Amino acid sequence: MKNLSTNFTAALLATSPRWLSRLAFCLLLCVGAQAQTAEFLGRRVTNVTVEIEGAPGSSVTEVRTLIDITAGKDYSPVSIHDSLVRLFHSGLIANARVEATADGANGVALRFIVRPRARIDAVVFAGNPIFPASELHARLNQLDVGQFASTAAVQRGLGELQAFYSSRGYLKAQITADVQLDPTGTRATVVYTINPGEQARVSKFEINVRGERLDFTKLPHTLVEGQPFSASGVQDVMDHLRDLYLNQDYLGARVNQNITPDTNSNTVAITISVVSGPKISVAVEGLEISKDQLRKTLPFYRQGGVNDFALEEGARRLQEYAQSKGYFFARVTRPQAPRRTQTSATLVYKIEPRSRYKLTDIEINGVDAIPHRTLEDQLKSKPASFLPFIGNRQGITSDDYLRQDANLIQKRLREVGYRRAHVDVLRGVSPTGNKLIITFDVQQGPRTYVEEVAIRGNNILTSDELRQDLAIKPGEPLVASVVTNDTERLLAAYTTRGYASAEVVTEVVELGSFDGQDRVRLLFNLNESNRVRIHSVVTRGTAYTDKGRLERDFYLFKAGQWLRNDQLQETEQQLYDTNSFNSVNITSEQVGQTANNIEERDITVNLLEAKRRDLIFGFGYQANVNSQTVPGLNFLHGLRGLTQLTYYDLFGKLYTASTQIRVAENELFGQISLANPRPFGTRFPTVVSLFARRLGERDFRTDRYTASIQAERRIRPELIVFASYIFERVSVFGLPCTLTEVAAGDCPGLSLEEIQRNSRPIRLGRIGPSFAYDTRDNKFDPTSGTQTFGSVYMAATALGGNEQFIKFSIEHNRYYALPRFRDTVYSVSGRLGLATPFGGKTSLPISERFFAGGARDLRGFGFEEAGPTIFVPQRDTAGNILRNADGTPKLMLSPLGGNAVLVINNELRFPIWRDLGGAVFSDTGNVFQRVRDMKPSNLTQTFGLGVRVKTPVGPVRFDIGFLLFNKPPGYAGYHLHFTIGQT
């Protein structure tokens, strides 16, 4: 038997650079090849076997595919050499050799003996570690679960642990490492056995000072001779010394340490050296700034180190401070760093403030391709706010900001096809010299259009198949976002089929200018690459979360499946959506050699768990428009409060439990809920909740106790659908009249039957679907896109209630930016609600009826005043009926609500001056007692004007609506409304 190649070890390969290890490996193979005897040359290979060293029962299928020698071929040293090289490059082995044995007169049997590279399955700390395992794990590099266990990595971890224990004072710590393989030889457990020994003690501690010595009596007593030593104690003393000198204006003080361990005596001598440097005072010329503000602005007051970098950073921050005061084009000259031999020094920053301005307006001229508001919201320069306590009183800009803003406008225009766009910045000053107007003068230039779309490099999929996914067509503008989306679509066509390494690169070929338009050819260059199969899936970073739950219910990929990047990205997003992780990173690593154009990869899911509890408090104020309040809460007078406790990753199963309490003058609300993002492994997140709510409506009060279960499914990022079952018990209190008053004739608009029905508690068992669709560009103040909500519910006795009806509602909002009119937006909204009782009833309970009127829909009415009304008696603060001189009750109108509602809002919003805008609107609609009452003749019509003030929390609205058609008798002809947010 002859050994035909020398061994190569994992230690050599792991401790050498990649090129050096490969060179060493090839040299070893060449030496082995030279050592071969000539007795096997000319023979035929009769048998080839593969043996896993140390695990003879392991599978050899993967290794065998890398060996290019089979029985029946002529014996070839070159083929043996190539097979060993292929094994090495596969990354699967740590050691390999080949043995040859004569088989008969003309045959030779080959035996490949390989030792696999084992992957780390766990890192265990045995003995007496003292410190938590999590803290020790954090000290180890290259020993994460799933990585290869190399001798060098294990030894490096040993050194890192030794250094860690030494820094904690355990100078005589004895640590040994052992690698234990599983029966297959492919999984390794790294075991560090730790005997920390006795903690070293401080033999000497002194502080040497060069320069000014301050009072050290208040330093922390973490370093005391004869007491245990720790590096953290040394750092604590150094931090306090540095702060002590900084607080006394020794801004360049340096603090260093010298730690001398003595292993024989198990002691540590500590010397801390302090170089005080000069005492430094800082002055600012040219602009008044307080001492406190100066300390907040200059970095070396907190960090120390008066060097060129810190002085330059201080100049930049002083310039920002000057700009915040209206000196937008101030210049700051920094001082030179003082010499350390000085005993004192003064640093003088010289500010040339130049003129002080108030940035009153920012104009963008020459742009019609992008709404001005969209660009202005992205600019760094901001005009001054004309409202007190909101925004910056002087505005914000500078030379640097203006350059960035001009580049941003130019970039945005080029993204939509104006590739020759150019932006000049003009500055205008008012005659008084204190108001600044910035104008971005834009030359859009010709737009670029696509003459031809071509696809290159595709062999697996045809061009016709790929073109079906492209949105961009010949003759359309070259828009960067469309090209990017098409690139992603082409990439998805491959990645969804398992070609995870596919690449798509776009190229634009100039074709010249025709008819005032630039023409280009758009090329999509494809590199289809290999198909990728998942070899294994490993999860790291879970200290609390159940890995089985993750792999079973959340991972969209499994071992053995084709690798799809879209599934990796979607899994990342879904894990983030649980709010249980601060970081989710999914990576893939190639394992083995590509065979038959198929490569295999290991998937690693790296997680960083978030804190599991979250407590929120909220406070606010409400201008209450409801006449009914919750008993006992009148003292709040409009104040609102909220507290919510949320527990994420409950039981390690990624459940979310939450409790919430809201308190206001007209509302008392309590809720508990449990959310399961993957019930029974399905992708229908489900929430089970119980809540109780006492709510003061306009003319009555409801107590509502509810249990619900709701499942949802996100069809697309902008579309989500829901299915829910709700069981409620609803009681109504504070109706306008009592049974006695109705019987006495004091409530002519109400019947005994109506009062009796609505005075009794009702049960509602409801089931039905709903959906939400949202493509708005801005949730607070949209300028484009749509928003739609819809639901259908059926309440029936079979579902546990005693009321029966079908209720449908839908609301749609659409927004249009008018490019010819700067920052002008037209919005149209519609709301339709229909309800049909069945089972012998003709109307809904009053708590379930539709209401309308007020700032959100029909602005010619007060809050919920539209629709059917009745006359009810007026009451004093004690609840007694107010009467006329003849004893009859004084009456007022009270809305009843109805079985149907229709509202159509048209609104045109336009800018007036800076953050002030205006609106004209029309509101059409009404509430109807029955569905068949929905007729054009019963609609009301409101016209009105409004003012909009742009604020950080959304637009503040002041509207006045004039009710011109179908005004009910006794109603005011107009109403004023104030609120935050658009209609």
Side-chain angles (χ1 to χ4, degrees):
M1 181 177 69
K2 301 293 182 180
N3 182 5
L4 301 182
S5 71
T6 54
N7 294 345
F8 64 93
T9 64
L12 172 63
L13 299 178
T15 56
S16 304
R18 183 178 293 274
W19 67 269
L20 182 58
S21 62
R22 291 186 176 181
L23 176 61
F25 177 71
C26 293
L27 289 174
L28 288 171
L29 290 178
C30 291
V31 171
Q34 294 296 326
Q36 298 171 32
T37 62
E39 63 182 276
F40 297 129
L41 294 176
R43 294 194 178 201
R44 188 171 294 276
V45 177
T46 59
N47 188 30
V48 179
T49 60
V50 179
E51 179 182 321
I52 304 297
E53 189 175 22
S58 299
S59 172
V60 297
T61 302
E62 188 172 14
V63 175
R64 189 181 291 278
T65 61
L66 303 173
I67 298 174
D68 191 26
I69 304 173
T70 58
K73 289 186 177 182
D74 290 338
Y75 173 80
S76 170
V78 174
S79 296
I80 294 175
H81 169 274
D82 292 345
S83 295
L84 288 171
V85 170
R86 195 176 294 111
L87 284 170
F88 166 70
H89 285 300
S90 73
L92 296 174
I93 64 173
N95 188 295
R97 68 181 187 273
V98 183
E99 295 178 352
T101 306
D103 187 5
N106 297 315
V108 58
L110 300 179
R111 186 160 68 107
F112 284 79
I113 304 172
V114 300
R115 175 173 295 172
R117 289 183 71 187
R119 291 184 180 273
I120 298 173
D121 207 32
V123 178
V124 178
F125 303 100
N128 183 24
I130 298 178
F131 299 103
S134 59
E135 189 172 358
L136 298 178
H137 275 294
R139 305 294 162 179
L140 301 178
N141 295 312
Q142 300 181 353
L143 284 178
D144 291 332
V145 173
Q147 292 185 333
F148 286 114
S150 67
T151 303
V154 173
Q155 290 300 315
R156 188 180 297 110
L158 189 64
E160 290 164 343
L161 288 175
Q162 200 77 53
F164 172 74
Y165 276 87
S166 179
S167 69
R168 295 300 190 272
Y170 295 92
L171 304 180
K172 294 187 175 183
Q174 296 178 350
I175 307 175
T176 59
D178 183 32
V179 179
Q180 300 174 356
L181 301 178
D182 71 346
T184 67
T186 60
R187 293 291 173 183
T189 300
V190 181
V191 180
Y192 288 104
T193 304
I194 301 171
N195 179 16
E198 184 180 356
Q199 190 174 5
R201 295 184 177 273
V202 178
S203 62
K204 184 183 72 171
F205 169 52
E206 61 181 3
I207 302 175
N208 295 330
V209 179
R210 193 170 69 189
E212 185 70 21
R213 186 180 185 91
L214 302 180
D215 181 9
F216 297 158
T217 57
K218 295 184 178 180
L219 291 178
H221 298 287
T222 55
L223 298 176
V224 179
E225 294 182 3
Q227 295 298 314
F229 161 83
S230 71
S232 60
V234 176
Q235 188 62 48
D236 193 24
V237 172
M238 292 177 63
D239 290 342
H240 279 80
L241 281 170
R242 185 177 292 106
D243 291 342
L244 179 63
Y245 275 86
L246 289 178
N247 291 335
Q248 296 295 323
D249 289 338
Y250 290 91
L251 304 179
R254 292 185 298 180
V255 182
N256 298 307
Q257 64 175 0
N258 183 22
I259 299 176
T260 307
D262 186 344
T263 308
N264 293 328
S265 62
N266 199 26
T267 59
V268 176
I270 306 165
T271 302
I272 296 179
S273 301
V274 179
V275 180
S276 68
K279 189 168 187 176
I280 298 173
S281 60
V282 181
V284 176
E285 296 181 356
L287 185 67
E288 184 177 350
I289 181 172
S290 67
K291 187 68 173 178
D292 288 343
Q293 183 63 48
L294 192 63
R295 286 183 172 272
K296 294 177 183 177
T297 303
L298 299 179
F300 40 75
Y301 274 109
R302 297 180 303 278
Q303 304 166 6
V306 181
N307 51 36
D308 288 339
F309 174 80
L311 292 169
E312 189 65 40
E313 177 66 12
R316 186 186 67 81
R317 296 189 183 185
L318 282 173
Q319 185 179 37
E320 289 180 352
Y321 175 77
Q323 290 167 359
S324 70
K325 298 299 181 182
Y327 301 99
F328 298 128
F329 309 106
R331 294 288 181 269
V332 180
T333 304
R334 72 170 181 85
Q336 296 297 316
R339 297 189 302 274
R340 293 194 171 275
T341 55
Q342 297 176 251
T343 58
S344 62
T346 300
L347 303 179
V348 180
Y349 281 96
K350 296 181 179 179
I351 300 179
E352 183 185 353
R354 302 186 178 184
S355 299
R356 190 183 190 191
Y357 299 105
K358 186 174 185 178
L359 180 55
T360 57
D361 198 10
I362 297 177
E363 299 284 346
I364 303 176
N365 294 335
V367 176
D368 57 18
I370 305 173
H372 283 221
R373 180 182 295 181
T374 301
L375 292 174
E376 290 172 359
D377 288 344
Q378 298 174 355
L379 298 180
K380 287 184 174 293
S381 300
K382 301 293 182 184
S385 172
F386 66 93
L387 291 177
F389 312 115
I390 297 179
N392 190 289
R393 299 296 301 277
Q394 297 295 137
I396 301 173
T397 194
S398 67
D399 287 338
D400 185 46
Y401 279 7
L402 292 176
R403 281 192 296 271
Q404 293 184 50
D405 291 339
N407 291 336
L408 181 138
I409 295 172
Q410 187 171 278
K411 178 182 177 183
R412 294 291 179 264
L413 285 170
R414 291 179 177 179
E415 287 175 350
V416 295
Y418 295 90
R419 297 188 300 153
R420 295 194 209 172
H422 177 74
V423 181
D424 291 316
V425 180
L426 306 177
R427 303 167 186 168
V429 179
S430 65
T432 59
N434 63 349
K435 293 182 180 180
L436 178 67
I437 299 175
I438 300 296
T439 302
F440 293 97
D441 189 33
V442 183
Q443 291 81 45
Q444 287 188 163
R447 198 172 192 185
T448 301
Y449 286 81
V450 178
E451 184 76 15
E452 179 187 352
V453 179
I455 301 174
R456 293 179 179 175
N458 55 305
N459 296 310
I460 299 168
L461 299 176
T462 67
S463 295
D464 290 338
E465 288 178 305
L466 295 172
R467 287 180 189 277
Q468 294 175 0
D469 296 327
L470 297 182
I472 197 165
K473 306 295 181 185
E476 295 183 350
L478 180 67
V479 179
S481 60
V482 177
V483 175
T484 299
N485 291 337
D486 280 348
T487 301
E488 294 176 353
R489 291 187 184 99
L490 290 175
L491 197 58
Y494 284 91
T495 57
T496 54
R497 291 173 170 85
Y499 296 91
S501 301
E503 296 178 347
V504 181
V505 178
T506 58
E507 181 182 352
V508 176
V509 180
E510 302 288 343
L511 297 179
S513 181
F514 303 96
D515 298 328
Q517 297 176 349
D518 288 346
R519 298 284 176 169
V520 297
R521 178 184 292 113
L522 178 63
L523 302 178
F524 293 96
N525 297 300
L526 304 177
N527 177 15
E528 295 174 327
S529 190
N530 298 315
R531 215 170 186 187
V532 182
R533 180 184 285 116
I534 299 174
H535 178 259
S536 66
V537 179
V538 176
T539 303
R540 298 182 191 165
T542 54
Y544 183 76
T545 307
D546 183 355
K547 290 184 180 179
R549 163 77 160 166
L550 291 172
E551 295 170 357
R552 182 176 60 254
D553 296 336
F554 284 86
Y555 295 173
L556 302 179
F557 44 84
K558 309 292 180 186
Q561 296 178 346
W562 297 118
L563 176 60
R564 293 176 49 178
N565 289 331
D566 61 318
Q567 291 181 337
L568 302 188
Q569 295 169 359
E570 188 174 352
T571 299
E572 282 188 358
Q573 184 59 52
Q574 291 174 1
L575 291 177
Y576 273 122
D577 288 343
T578 65
N579 294 315
S580 298
F581 304 101
N582 284 332
S583 174
V584 181
N585 183 29
I586 303 179
T587 60
S588 64
E589 179 184 0
Q590 184 176 353
V591 293
Q593 184 71 21
T594 300
N596 300 322
N597 294 325
I598 296 176
E599 66 178 81
E600 293 197 338
R601 293 189 188 180
D602 285 341
I603 303 300
T604 303
V605 183
N606 300 284
L607 303 172
L608 177 62
E609 294 176 330
K611 64 176 184 178
R612 298 196 298 276
R613 286 173 292 275
D614 193 12
L615 182 62
I616 297 175
F617 295 97
F619 301 94
Y621 179 80
Q622 172 188 14
N624 193 5
V625 294
N626 296 348
S627 60
Q628 295 286 330
T629 60
V630 176
L633 297 180
N634 303 60
F635 68 93
L636 292 173
H637 299 297
L639 293 177
R640 299 180 63 86
L642 172 145
T643 179
Q644 178 173 311
L645 174 63
T646 304
Y647 198 111
Y648 302 105
D649 203 2
L650 189 65
F651 310 126
K653 302 293 185 180
L654 299 180
Y655 303 148
T656 299
S658 178
T659 63
Q660 182 184 129
I661 297 175
R662 290 202 306 265
V663 179
E665 186 178 5
N666 69 321
E667 182 184 30
L668 181 61
F669 176 87
Q671 179 183 26
I672 60 174
S673 63
L674 177 67
N676 184 351
R678 289 291 180 276
F680 308 109
T682 65
R683 298 180 62 186
F684 294 92
T686 300
V687 179
V688 178
S689 62
L690 302 172
F691 70 82
R693 187 184 195 191
R694 180 165 289 182
L695 180 66
E697 303 281 1
R698 185 187 183 280
D699 287 335
F700 58 90
R701 179 168 53 82
T702 58
D703 284 359
R704 194 177 293 264
Y705 302 93
T706 304
S708 71
I709 179 170
Q710 176 177 277
E712 68 179 59
R713 180 65 184 268
R714 187 172 291 277
I715 308 300
R716 298 196 299 272
E718 66 276 8
L719 175 62
I720 185 170
V721 297
F722 306 88
S724 58
Y725 169 76
I726 303 171
F727 179 80
E728 293 184 302
R729 185 182 187 277
V730 185
S731 300
V732 177
F733 302 93
L735 288 168
C737 295
T738 65
L739 288 172
T740 302
E741 291 167 343
V742 172
D746 289 334
C747 294
L750 283 174
S751 66
L752 286 172
E753 181 183 359
E754 180 78 7
I755 292 295
Q756 288 173 341
R757 182 188 182 191
N758 290 309
S759 296
R760 290 193 297 265
I762 62 171
R763 295 192 313 274
L764 297 176
R766 295 186 291 171
I767 191 170
S770 57
F771 74 93
Y773 179 79
D774 193 350
T775 62
R776 294 173 298 166
D777 61 343
N778 185 300
K779 307 306 179 186
F780 294 101
D781 191 11
T783 61
S784 64
T786 63
Q787 179 190 35
T788 307
F789 304 100
S791 64
V792 178
Y793 286 104
M794 181 179 72
T797 55
L799 298 173
N802 57 14
E803 291 283 345
Q804 301 190 104
F805 55 84
I806 297 174
K807 192 173 185 179
F808 165 80
S809 64
I810 188 168
E811 179 178 342
H812 178 74
N813 307 284
R814 183 177 289 272
Y815 306 90
Y816 302 91
L818 304 183
R820 292 183 176 273
F821 302 93
R822 175 186 168 184
D823 293 342
T824 300
V825 177
Y826 169 65
S827 71
V828 58
S829 304
R831 173 189 168 203
L832 174 65
L834 304 171
T836 301
F838 61 91
K841 302 290 178 61
T842 60
S843 64
L844 300 180
I846 193 170
S847 60
E848 309 306 312
R849 295 174 188 170
F850 294 108
F851 289 85
R856 296 294 179 183
D857 40 40
L858 300 177
R859 283 164 280 187
F861 292 91
F863 179 65
E864 293 189 349
E865 288 183 350
T869 57
I870 57 172
F871 285 100
V872 298
Q874 300 183 30
R875 299 177 184 272
D876 59 19
T877 56
N880 299 315
I881 295 177
L882 299 176
R883 298 186 181 275
N884 298 309
D886 59 0
T888 59
K890 292 183 178 181
L891 300 178
M892 65 177 183
L893 289 173
S894 174
L896 278 178
N899 292 357
V901 64
L902 174 64
V903 175
I904 300 173
N905 305 110
N906 291 275
E907 183 166 292
L908 187 69
R909 306 169 193 156
F910 50 87
I912 296 177
W913 178 67
R914 290 164 58 185
D915 290 339
L916 185 65
V920 293
F921 60 85
S922 72
D923 300 332
T924 305
N926 211 340
V927 175
F928 308 93
Q929 185 174 358
R930 294 164 300 183
V931 174
R932 63 173 178 265
D933 295 332
M934 294 181 62
K935 301 174 183 177
S937 59
N938 291 334
L939 296 176
T940 68
Q941 183 63 56
T942 297
F943 291 98
L945 304 170
V947 175
R948 307 287 183 268
V949 181
K950 187 176 180 181
T951 72
V953 295
V956 175
R957 281 196 296 131
F958 301 88
D959 288 336
I960 179 170
F962 297 91
L963 184 57
L964 301 181
F965 299 106
N966 278 338
K967 182 175 75 70
Y971 273 71
Y974 69 92
H975 276 85
L976 294 171
H977 302 282
F978 164 75
T979 190
I980 297 177
Q982 301 291 6
T983 52

